[in-house]
Amino acid sequence: DPYEAEAVPRDSSSRISAVQRRTVQFIRDSRRFFPSSPDTAEQIWSMVRTDVLYHSHTHACYRGTILLYLLLPSRCSPEFYESVLPDWLEAWTNIDRCPEYDFLWLALFCRARKYLTTMPLSPSENSDKNEKKEWTRSWCLIRRRLLTLCQYWCLLPIGGMTPDKTWAQAPHPRSRSCPSKLKALATAGSSYEEGIDFVAKIAKLLVSSLGDDNFEASSPQTFSTADGGPVVSEGTADVLRFLNYVSPYFHPSNLGSWTFTLGAFLHYFCYELACRMGTAAGLRVLKRNYPSVFSSLANAQPGTVTEAHGLPPHEMVALVHTLAPLCQQALYSKNNHVSRAAEAAMLYLVQMDPQTLAPSFCDFGMRALDVAAVHSAHQAPAALSALTRLIQPTLRRAPRTIFSRLPTILQLTLAGIDSNDQNKTIRTLIFYRSLSSWIPIGGNFRALAREPASSFDTAVLERKGVIHVGNSIMDDVEIIRDLPEYKAALAALPANSLLRHGNEDDLNEDGLDDMLLEQVSAATSDWALEFLERVFELLRSSGEREKAGKRSSGVASRHSSADVHQARNFSRVLKESLLQVFVSMDEETFRLASRAVVRFVDEETLPSAAKDASFLCQAICAARGDGRNPGLDILIPILTEDLARHSVKTSVYRVRCLAGAVRRAGRSILQHRQAISATLDHCFKSEDRHLFKTGCKLLRHTLSTLTEPYPLPADSKPRIYSLGNGKVSLGRSAELADDSIQWHVPNNECVEFAWAILSKHVVGRLDELCSPLKGEDGTTPRSRMLNVGDVQEIRRCLRMVRYSIRGGASLLLDEALVNSDDVVPHEIACHRIISLTKEDTTKQILMLRTRLCSFLVVIASVIGSDTLHPGGLNEISDEDPYRKSLPLISRDSKVCKETCDIALLLLTRRGASFRSQEAMTIWKAQKQLSNDYTLSAEAEMVLEALQGSGLFNPQVLYKDGEDGGKCIPRRVLVTRVHLFHNSMIRNASFEVPRRMRRMSRDSTQPRDVVFKAKANLTEMLSNLENVLAGSNPRPLDAYEGVLDGLQALSCHSNTQVRASAIGVVEYALTRFGWLLRSRINRLLSALSLQDQNQNGKFGIPSCSGLTNSFSNQGKRKRLAEAMKGVCAVLALQRTTKFVLGSHKLRTRFMKTICQTDGLVSLMPAEEMQKMIHYIHSVFSPFRSKLFNLPRVTRQDRQCHQELLQLSLDFLADGQRTNGEELDESAEGGQRAAVHWRKMLTACWFLLVSIDSEDVAQEDEIISASWKICFWLIEHEKGQPLQRVALGLLGKLSFLSKKADVSSAVGAKFESELFCQAFVDALVYDHKEDSSFGGGHEAQWSAGVEDIIRESSRFVARRNVFPFQRTNLGSGSFKVAHCQLLEHILSCLPPEAANVFISKLLAMCKDLLSAPPNEDQKNQQVTSAEVFAGVCRYYITSGLVNKSLWQETIIPYFDDAIGKLPFALTSAYSDALRFSLQFCNPSLFQPVTEFIVEKIRKSLWQTTQGKGEGLQASTSAAQGTEGFNAQSKWLYLISSLLVELDISESDGAKGRTYWYVAYLTQEEVAVEDFSATSYERSWDVVTERLLPCLLEALGHPFHSCRDHISRLLFRICSCHRKRNRTVASRAPSRSNSADALVAMDVAEDPGDIIIRRISNLHKDESLSFLDKYNALNTARRFLSCCVHLGEAKFELSDFVIPALPTVFEGLKSTVEESIRKAEGISQEEQAAWRALEAEVLKGFRYSVSEISIATTSPDREADIGRIMDHVDRATRHETWQVRAASAHFLRCFQGAHKFLFTDFDTKHTMKAVAKLLSDERREVCSAAMAALTGVLTGLSMEEVSVMVDTYVAMANRSKMKRKKSGSNGETGLEPDEREAKRTRNQQTSVYFLCAAVMARPYDTPPYVPVALSAISKHSFERSAPLSVRDTVKRCCAEYKRTHMSDNWEEHKRVFSQEQMDALEDVVSTPHYYA
């Protein structure tokens, strides 16, 4: 509501934004559940109708449209949409060029389209055609406006380019924007998502408009087939014209701002087209199988049901024929996003008709891959991606197309495996992966065929958990392809169409014969072996490249994160491709491939390619089932044979390959357990760290293979389905029903083998490290690990533990949870697997996890001992082994890093799989490569209808197979099931800790603290020995101990260790988050240095104790390092959540943060600034996430009061130390000054914590808050504290009652000193003026700027000013200051307020007179804010009267404007607007009259006005200062007119708000319309101001002319606002005109202005200077109308009538004026010429501006009016005017291409053709450019006919030698005949050149004809110079744009004669010619 303000904020800004965003999203999601009754929709529309239709001058139009967008129910009746659609169109056209506003209406139109249709369903509905004509006409206008605005939205250059470089190319008029406060209610995503959604809405509307019937005879041109076939409907014709128009912008070389937008449009248009075809097929299924459901749907959504008819076949052919070349061009775009969008668009088209489209795209890709096509090499990556997309749809529905080309494609793509081009290699591998996912490699295809699941029994399918929506639903999609009309339309296409590139074999539907299948089988088998050889070469080159790099530089190269990501992506793609290729092989091919791999591995060692080589071994070993594994059988002996005799590099390479070979090998690994065990022994005994690490990898993969359930990769073999009669089908979607996935499930042998490995290499090493050493008699045995200190052995043990957990995490269950009732499914399965072994083995396995936790706690304790007991080592004797071993362990970074990594695995990992969420993202991308969107749309339509009818069980959600709408290969299906299994494992990592927490609550067993620091280091070590030797603790206690150990590591002195530990803690808390709650108090105690007796509690050292620990340099280094760890944990988001959730913790947090100044003072000097940043990192999340927490209990209220009192106490301490007592009873004495940061933080807490409940209590806290607020404002001048105090003042003022505010501030504002301090606070609350001091911003300390910004929100309650759709002029003017001052004044008694005002205004005068300084600008702006607050107070309080204006306000205003620099006039302009908003014009009548009189007295006037009392100022006063003063007053009256609104003529009091009538049942009285007060103000404007302005049109000062033009526009806009407000008060829309007629109004000021402007050229009384200055003003006025106005109003009412003046302004008259003038000097003549040149240049720019300003589609007469004016301009005697008219036609036709009727197009053609023969070369060149644009919008058939006509004319009009005795044409003189021939030659040649250049990137059949014809005019003997130059430029341009990549395609259109003719022109002459 514009009259109300928001409540005082109680939450942080980010919190408010998040709540608002989620609320909007909730409304959007729940809109489908809104009541769908007609009354609901009608009431919502009635509520916003007036705002939407008539209040376009205010933000009410945005508000109403957003409410309509959010609240209108999803399901409204067709009758409702029929009634409102014309109104919606009118509302949409009220505002131009506002993307947010356009998006809202596009969304509403998309909803309406489902319920309305222009295509009749039955003949009976044709009877009411006349009734539906209005809204069907609205649909047509909507479509045309969409197509017209697409040029603006897509940033296309309207009208193309012109060869005339001197002509001004005006940019698009600037966009308008919706206010951010309102925009936040309509959008819920990023700007990118908004833009994409916008494009999607456009495509949806355009596709839904296809097939519409014509509604009138004067429709645009229609397209027809060449043989006179059926005419394309109007909607499709418009879309085809648009696609033809934008086709040049899709060319890869034509990059620009339009590239990305057009690519997105192509993607979504093809997607919506495919979905419409699929929806139509689904509706046909419903109509055939479920007629009752179809009938119900037809009644509910008639617009959707009409799509059951689909597109007419010939229209579908025309669309695909146009779209396919666009996809082909965009595929090779240099913009990767556009290329990807084109791939998807191509897929959508191919899925609609693969037999027709697939051949052309396949051939297109094959040409790019051909090694002979050197010029197309850059197209290879895009061609590979395109072929990848084509595999599935072509296999499924046009198998002969792909099979006949597959051998060639396989050979061509092998070159894509290129070690020098990783991008191309990746795309090639993806292609092979996709190909082998659908087609088996080798073998007998028919023998592999299986029967598909064809049952359509719903009950049977539901038992299987799947849905099939029909039987063979793919057949319904293909119906259109079999129609005779479709085939006839295809046959009628030109021979070069992409739809006719296939051969007869491609169209053969008899299935695949045996010969073709055998050919493909042999080709794939041969290809597989060649592919392996390519992979071998890839691995070899990788190794060689790495070695060469090391030899040359000697150092490793550094890589960015992008490089790492690309390398990881390459490895993943290589692994998947190799695995799928081996899986798809038949046995014979697999045998040969296995031999090749074995030979490669055996003969070569490539250490640098070991990782990729392991993928090769994995592929060959995992490609076969869980039983016999020939790949593993032949690789294991080679890889494990006698490793000891090989070099270390060879051993590492082979073990790494072995690690890959055992991955996913299933139970077959058991047959090689001895070899694997021996290899592990060899690796772990080796001293080489690389071999040891590789052995750890083998350990991990072996354990993962043995213990993890996973689907067998061999089950990913592509499926072939039998169709009966010996036919097979490839490309059919894989099915889960009747084809279950084969899994590897570990058996007892697997578990026993895994435990044998673990017990030997992991448990054995742990036992060895933890084993006690023999000590002296009577002493406690000590462990080997803590006494010996063998760091190398500890490192190895930790690494083995880490890799074993990564591989065998499924075995590591928690012992205490196996018998629980709520065990998650994953653990149940794992426990069953473990239970298969012996009981003793099971028990040992279940104990291992807690033992590892205990071991890790010991290691973490040793590492943290250096921090927990800094001087502890000194207490141990030198002979004690601890003295040597502890430092070695605690300071070893690798041990610390391994400890953190193991802790992360133990706390968060429950299985070997990881990165499951990333894998899911990759899976979705792979699914999109093969998804059939047409089929999906069909299935969705059927399924939604059946589920809505209750025919499908909504609990069964998996749509299986092709008949369920799916289209995925078996590999993707298996991967998805595996990902679901991995998600269950991930879910277990969350659920297991939660269950442990629940069990802990119910348990009576006491909690065991595992991590204990003890009193000293000796006791701590003794405890660690007991932990190593003792029994395992409970799992939850063990995990808590690990977390405490990590906390100790987070306080470590090593930066890397600390960062690693903090990262692990943050991630571990996602599983054990509740453990943090009990640790927050401990962390806050550490930060406040109040933890004397808490050393080691929760792993945190005693920070108060560390204050006494100094380094060798005498610095508290350890304290700083510990504090960094504490702050890092406190800064976690989860910690902030806990703190904010409790009043007690909030109070404790506040107290801690405010007392950190002492902590900072203890830090070393180099650590102080770092510690400030760390403390800010703790405070910042709290500040940004703060929200109001209800105080429910007494404890909550007490804590809140304590927080407020603490804040006041801290501030009081600061006040006392600054020399002024707040409380006389306070203790005296010297005190240390309180740090400013402490006071700032305390004041912020006080500011955000006080709320309405506190203020209502009126206790001492509030009184003290007022006092401290006043003291801070008075004493903290210019400081951040003063700004926060100003926010506190505002919050207290707005929360308190007016009487309380008066009593609190009344006495203070009587003080002159405080008033001055208050004004200074307003000054310093502005940003620092960056124009002084080098432009540097204020250098605040960390967090201070955020606090200042947060505090500014509390200065005043936010409102929606300005509510008018005119933004504020000043960026420095703060509305909040005005609101604060107004509110304070309104709380004071009138007498006190007047005294305060007098002081304020006196101080403002001093601010205006301030000397130059860095705050001068802010001081002057503050004076404007004070003035605005005072004026607003007087107006809203009812105290304003004429005497007050004249005695107080106006004198100050006059004085202020005189002192103010012009640059800051905008501040007072905004102040005036704020004061007068929503105000009755009678209240500010005096100021209106005052400003007008100032203008009348000071404004420069022409000589005509002097005799009428409009006295001009003397020449002395007309200097620069006088002109500046004039500019100021003109600027100010303009702002006054903005707020002059007839809707406020009755005042704001007693107003009935716009929404009240819909929220109450009571009758709401309708206000009487009375505008007397408005009319008085309006009379001042029209009778006194307007004549003065018109007399000042020739003002000599350019700034004044600019303001005069804007003021004239503002007067016209104000008049329109007045008229529309009157119309809105009419009872109905039909009565609006009557209401306007009934008003007794004077003449429209716009008519007066236009008449004056139109007569300027004829006004002989004006001097030359005055006339041209007036013309300049008139041009600026028209520019304001174009940029600030709307096409429906200003363009139609003002610009079009003034268009003759614009053209007339291009006529030069200076020379004639100079001749007429007498006695003027040369300087004056030069000044006259310069002035005329400036005016002519401006009018040329105006012509360009107006030409691209689109008219409103519902104002069809405007185009005719414009064309009439332009037609007269084409016949003007001045060539400059004629040239301008040609340029105007070029741009105007381009901007209105889709609004033109046949008559408009013919009219334009006639005018342009007339200009082609103009004698001036500039005119005919401009006309040819205009003609080029016109021809782009015509069909090829129409252009071809015209080309033939002009070719004949051109052939007849060549220059010929005069023959003797020839009389030529009868009745014509020789000169006349020659002139006619010259005109015909120029016209015809220019026309043919335009026809050629209209097709810059393709070659229609008429282009060679035109080129051949114009080539004859390129010789001197046949044409004049101008014609010859035009012909040569045209042919050169054709050569540049066509003779490149695809020249061979274009060349086929030429005959040999035509080619020779072209070569004659474009060939370069040489010496021997």
Side-chain angles (χ1 to χ4, degrees), residues 1086-1090 1103-1104 1107 1116 1119-1120 1123 1151-1164 1167-1168 1171-1172 1175 1210 1232-1239:
L1087 189 60
S1088 59
L1089 300 179
Q1090 297 176 357
C1103 295
S1104 60
T1107 57
R1116 297 182 178 89
L1119 176 63
M1123 277 301 172
K1151 186 176 180 180
T1152 302
I1153 290 296
C1154 290
Q1155 293 178 340
T1156 53
D1157 53 332
L1159 171 65
V1160 175
S1161 64
L1162 295 175
M1163 294 293 115
E1167 296 288 343
M1168 283 187 175
M1171 188 52 57
I1172 291 176
I1175 294 173
F1210 289 140
V1234 178
H1235 197 276
W1236 64 268
R1237 180 180 288 278
K1238 179 178 181 178
M1239 295 183 64

Side-chain angles (χ1 to χ4, degrees), residues 707-743:
T707 62
E708 287 285 323
Y710 49 85
L712 293 174
D715 198 33
S716 299
K717 190 177 183 66
R719 299 300 195 253
I720 300 178
Y721 292 98
S722 174
L723 300 179
N725 300 325
K727 297 181 180 179
V728 295
S729 173
L730 287 86
R732 191 182 181 98
S733 179
E735 298 179 354
L736 192 58
D738 298 332
D739 191 6
S740 59
I741 295 175
Q742 300 177 17
W743 282 78

Side-chain angles (χ1 to χ4, degrees), residues 522-727:
T524 54
S525 181
D526 296 340
W527 158 81
L529 300 178
E530 295 182 21
F531 166 65
L532 285 179
E533 293 297 330
R534 287 278 182 171
V535 172
F536 298 157
E537 290 297 328
L538 184 66
L539 298 182
R540 294 186 186 104
S541 60
S542 174
E544 291 171 2
R545 193 165 58 247
E546 292 292 336
K547 290 178 181 179
K550 289 183 178 180
R551 284 198 302 268
S552 60
S553 63
V555 295
S557 59
R558 300 180 62 183
H559 301 286
S560 64
S561 59
D563 297 328
V564 173
H565 177 75
Q566 186 175 9
R568 183 186 300 170
N569 185 45
F570 174 77
S571 298
R572 178 187 57 82
V573 172
L574 178 63
K575 178 177 66 174
E576 293 176 355
S577 301
L578 288 172
L579 182 59
Q580 187 59 36
V581 167
F582 276 97
V583 165
S584 303
M585 291 179 181
D586 68 318
E587 293 301 327
E588 179 61 26
T589 308
F590 181 82
R591 184 178 60 81
L592 297 175
S594 301
R595 290 181 179 178
V597 172
V598 169
R599 184 171 58 253
F600 171 75
V601 173
D602 188 27
E603 295 176 356
E604 301 184 46
T605 299
L606 305 173
S608 299
K611 182 178 180 180
D612 294 337
S614 69
F615 296 152
L616 192 62
C617 296
Q618 178 186 353
I620 192 175
C621 295
R624 290 302 178 257
D626 205 14
R628 189 181 64 86
N629 195 328
L632 194 64
D633 294 340
I634 60 176
L635 270 179
I636 289 286
I638 296 175
L639 296 176
T640 61
E641 181 183 3
D642 200 6
L643 288 175
R645 67 178 181 86
H646 292 292
S647 65
V648 173
K649 287 189 175 181
T650 303
S651 298
V652 169
Y653 175 74
R654 296 204 171 190
V655 174
R656 187 65 186 274
C657 291
L658 179 60
V662 300
R663 294 183 68 178
R664 303 289 179 86
R667 298 179 184 176
S668 57
I669 193 175
L670 297 172
Q671 302 173 11
H672 306 279
R673 65 178 71 188
Q674 294 181 354
I676 295 173
S677 300
T679 304
L680 289 173
D681 294 340
H682 173 73
C683 294
F684 294 148
K685 290 178 182 178
S686 173
E687 296 296 329
D688 185 81
R689 60 186 180 91
H690 298 290
L691 185 56
F692 181 84
K693 181 179 179 180
T694 309
C696 290
K697 293 180 182 292
L698 176 60
L699 172 66
R700 170 198 167 191
H701 294 311
T702 303
L703 292 176
S704 174
T705 302
L706 290 171
T707 62
E708 287 285 323
Y710 49 85
L712 293 174
D715 198 33
S716 299
K717 190 177 183 66
R719 299 300 195 253
I720 300 178
Y721 292 98
S722 174
L723 300 179
N725 300 325
K727 297 181 180 179

Side-chain angles (χ1 to χ4, degrees), residues 18 63 404 459-460 568 1135 1900 1925 1932:
R63 177 187 63 192
S404 60
V460 174
R568 183 186 300 170
T1135 309
D1925 286 349

Side-chain angles (χ1 to χ4, degrees), residues 77 251 319 412 441 593 1155 1214 1245 1352 1587 1630 1745 1941:
S77 64
H251 197 270
L319 284 167
L412 292 176
I441 298 175
Q1155 293 178 340
F1245 273 103
S1352 301
S1630 60
E1745 279 183 329
D1941 293 353

Side-chain angles (χ1 to χ4, degrees), residues 1766 1770 1777-1787 1808 1811 1819 1822-1823 1826:
V1766 178
T1770 59
V1777 178
R1778 297 198 303 274
S1781 67
H1783 287 295
F1784 185 93
L1785 284 173
R1786 172 177 57 83
C1787 297
V1808 172
L1811 293 174
V1819 178

